[in-house]
Amino acid sequence: MPLDDDDNPTAAPAVQLQNDSGAGDEAEDEGLFDMRLFASMFNKKGVASQAVRRGQKDFESHGTRAQEDALETSRQVIEEVLAYSRVHRDVWSKGWYFPDYWPETLRAIEEDGDLSGLARPEYLQEFLAETGPMYAKERVVVVEDLKGTQAKSMGRVVRGLKAPRPAVGKLWLLPEEALFLVERGSLDLWWPFRELKDVLPPPLEGKAAEEYVHDTAQTKAGPEEDSDDEFETGVPLSLQAAYALFIGLDGERGKMTLPKYQVYSHLRRLGYYVQRAPPDAADAASQPQSAKESLWQWLVSLLDRSAPTPPPYGPLVRPGVYRQYSLVYKQLELLARYRPSPAAQEPVAPEDPYKVHWHVWKPSKHPNLRVTDLPPPDIRIAVADARNDAVPSLEEVSALLDSTPYDPPDPRTMGGPGRLYQRLRHGHRNVLIAVVDRGLVNFMRFGQAAFGEETLYERFDNRGGFRGDRICKPRQSESIKPG
């Protein structure tokens, strides 16, 4: 029975490598996949076409270098697979990395009062109000011409600019959007050697920015066409370089933490539309305010009798004749039930990591979603790292739920006694927490359920009440004697 490739007469001779660094290494686990099978992808010559069968390997020293060469060949195949050149095929776009353009531009407009690049200087406040929710300072990649279906749900065009501002009407991407497109091969990311005005020059004088953007001849024209060297204006970046540029710590401008990006890419691959949650100011403004009480409501509240206080001793249910279950169960309510309200009673600002970071839309509900006109999100997600973040406390979960809008169960779709558990699961507020454990994403749902609002005894009262009168008499076990 052959033990290795040298003993197999039908196999080609193994390549004798010059590197002896693999000597003395331990044997591979028999359960691991043989990486030498990838060698057929590169049409390698001199490597055995038949892998050694499981259970036939002999890693003991027997006077030959067959096993040592087999291990070294597997390592070399792994290096070649990882170093394989990724080729952009079909539809792809070209993007440039300019992380400091928007911070400098907005600083010049706000602090220095440079309004030369605004199309309408009288709408300065509207322009600044629009750039805030879209995270203009975080957009670090400008795309020459984004192609494909991704242009509808990714990137934003900052409106209100004109010449002499460069890249007028171009699409700007956030770090997670650019990195996701680079991963899937739809974006060719470049590091520029020149300024933005040289790479993407402003429109011609006296011509509107919109006409310049839709002009095919002007859009395709670039500085690289006038030069024989395509690398005169910049160099392409690899996927590893893109990760180094876009992955960082919380609070770093133009970067994102790895767990948050893993949740983003996971949802995008599943087909969901994902966008960043708006800033805190926008969320606070969208919270419903408690309505003021009218004069008529105040007069009616004076006639409303409060619930009777239970006696200090004696039975909880007073003796008598009852024809409804509600009269009995209301006397058993010693503590007030929790009632969700549209406005939070004690609003507390949520803190990282238990803070809504992603807004998600289902493609089945929004087949033609556009980033310029976003409806209310279907799902709100917070991201937590299983290695570094602790289990959330009750205060953190309450603050997280209070930051979401009031969304009670719809009585048309969740009404009736058969949808009881569906209403409790939906709650009056709900949010998902994505727990990331070294790349493995798990989702946990938290809801503001109101169990006290689901009164089961009212169903029996609607059927006609008791069959006859029910007389409640106190028993010795039901009475509470004073201490």
Side-chain angles (χ1 to χ4, degrees):
M1 181 175 62
L3 297 178
D4 47 47
D5 289 346
D6 289 347
D7 298 331
N8 189 358
T10 61
V15 178
Q16 298 293 334
L17 302 177
Q18 300 296 331
N19 187 8
D20 295 334
S21 60
D25 290 348
E26 296 182 357
E28 293 179 326
D29 188 2
E30 292 183 355
L32 297 179
F33 182 75
D34 192 352
M35 294 298 298
R36 290 178 297 172
L37 297 179
F38 284 105
S40 59
M41 299 170 53
F42 306 100
N43 297 324
K44 291 178 62 66
K45 297 181 180 180
V47 179
S49 59
Q50 180 179 359
V52 181
R53 296 181 180 179
R54 182 180 302 177
Q56 297 181 358
K57 293 184 179 180
D58 183 11
F59 291 93
E60 300 295 335
S61 177
H62 49 75
T64 64
R65 297 180 55 186
Q67 299 301 331
E68 179 183 338
D69 294 340
L71 294 177
E72 190 62 32
T73 303
S74 298
R75 296 189 187 96
Q76 187 177 3
V77 171
I78 294 176
E79 294 178 358
E80 293 184 2
V81 170
L82 295 178
Y84 182 76
S85 300
R86 303 172 71 249
V87 180
H88 297 283
R89 298 178 180 178
D90 300 333
V91 180
W92 60 276
S93 306
K94 186 176 182 179
W96 297 88
Y97 181 69
F98 287 97
D100 300 328
Y101 174 74
W102 279 113
E104 295 176 356
T105 301
L106 295 178
R107 188 183 307 111
I109 294 176
E110 296 177 4
E111 299 179 2
D112 302 338
D114 184 10
L115 306 180
S116 58
L118 294 180
R120 294 184 177 181
E122 60 272 14
Y123 294 112
L124 174 61
Q125 299 300 328
E126 289 77 1
F127 173 78
L128 296 178
E130 183 180 359
T131 55
M134 71 169 59
Y135 294 96
K137 294 183 179 180
E138 299 290 332
R139 300 188 178 272
V140 295
V141 175
V142 57
V143 184
E144 292 184 358
D145 187 14
L146 186 59
K147 304 175 183 178
T149 58
Q150 303 292 336
K152 297 181 180 180
S153 59
M154 301 181 70
R156 290 294 298 271
V157 177
V158 182
R159 304 174 182 176
L161 298 178
K162 66 174 184 178
R165 296 290 180 185
V168 174
K170 297 298 181 181
L171 200 70
W172 287 84
L173 301 176
L174 290 169
E176 63 272 13
E177 297 173 341
L179 185 55
F180 178 74
L181 292 178
V182 172
E183 271 191 336
R184 70 191 306 268
S186 301
L187 180 66
D188 188 13
L189 185 62
W190 283 61
W191 178 277
F193 291 156
R194 299 181 180 180
E195 297 181 358
L196 181 59
K197 61 181 180 180
D198 299 328
V199 177
L200 298 175
L204 300 177
E205 294 293 338
K207 194 173 185 179
E210 291 79 5
E211 297 179 1
Y212 176 81
V213 172
H214 294 88
D215 191 351
T216 306
Q218 293 290 345
T219 304
K220 293 184 178 180
E224 61 273 9
E225 294 183 0
D226 299 333
S227 176
D228 297 335
D229 188 6
E230 62 176 348
F231 300 105
E232 182 180 355
T233 56
V235 292
L237 297 176
S238 63
L239 179 61
Q240 291 83 354
Y243 265 91
L245 292 176
F246 299 140
I247 299 299
L249 302 176
D250 282 325
E252 288 189 82
R253 184 182 56 81
K255 293 188 177 183
M256 172 166 291
T257 60
L258 184 59
K260 292 180 180 178
Y261 173 72
Q262 289 172 342
V263 174
Y264 175 84
S265 61
H266 176 75
L267 294 173
R268 289 292 302 181
R269 290 189 180 95
L270 293 178
Y272 291 96
Y273 299 112
V274 187
Q275 292 289 333
R276 286 191 184 186
D280 298 338
D283 284 346
S286 62
Q287 290 292 335
Q289 302 294 333
S290 58
K292 295 183 179 180
E293 188 178 11
S294 62
L295 179 60
W296 177 254
Q297 293 175 346
W298 177 74
L299 292 175
V300 173
S301 64
L302 297 179
L303 302 177
D304 188 14
R305 297 181 180 179
S306 59
T309 305
Y313 58 91
L316 294 178
V317 180
R318 291 173 295 179
V321 179
Y322 297 92
R323 294 182 174 85
Q324 292 182 352
Y325 284 97
S326 59
L327 300 178
V328 178
Y329 279 94
K330 285 183 179 180
Q331 298 184 44
L332 298 177
E333 296 178 0
L334 300 181
L335 300 177
R337 296 198 304 254
Y338 172 73
R339 299 178 182 273
S341 59
Q345 299 178 357
E346 297 180 359
V348 179
E351 298 180 357
D352 287 330
Y354 301 107
K355 180 180 180 181
V356 176
H357 192 82
W358 297 119
H359 282 179
V360 183
W361 291 264
K362 298 179 181 179
S364 58
K365 292 185 178 180
H366 312 281
N368 299 320
L369 183 71
R370 293 185 177 274
V371 293
T372 55
D373 187 16
L374 292 175
D378 300 325
I379 306 173
R380 294 170 176 84
I381 297 179
V383 181
D385 190 357
R387 301 283 176 170
N388 301 324
D389 300 329
V391 178
S393 61
L394 180 60
E395 291 77 10
E396 292 175 332
V397 175
S398 300
L400 176 61
L401 290 174
D402 290 340
S403 64
T404 61
Y406 185 71
D407 184 22
D410 190 358
R412 295 174 298 177
T413 59
M414 301 183 188
R419 302 293 180 88
L420 170 63
Y421 295 101
Q422 186 176 358
R423 292 193 298 270
L424 293 176
R425 181 178 178 272
H426 181 274
H428 291 70
R429 288 184 173 90
N430 57 83
V431 68
L432 293 182
I433 296 182
V435 183
V436 184
D437 187 5
R438 298 295 178 89
L440 182 62
V441 182
N442 296 286
F443 295 94
M444 300 181 64
R445 186 185 187 94
F446 288 82
Q448 197 177 51
F451 289 87
E453 298 297 321
E454 302 293 340
T455 53
L456 302 180
Y457 54 83
E458 292 181 353
R459 307 178 191 173
F460 302 98
D461 291 340
N462 296 332
R463 293 179 181 178
F466 292 96
R467 295 181 179 178
D469 297 337
R470 176 65 59 89
I471 301 177
C472 293
K473 297 181 179 180
R475 294 183 301 179
Q476 187 67 23
S477 59
E478 295 179 351
S479 61
I480 303 177
K481 298 181 179 180

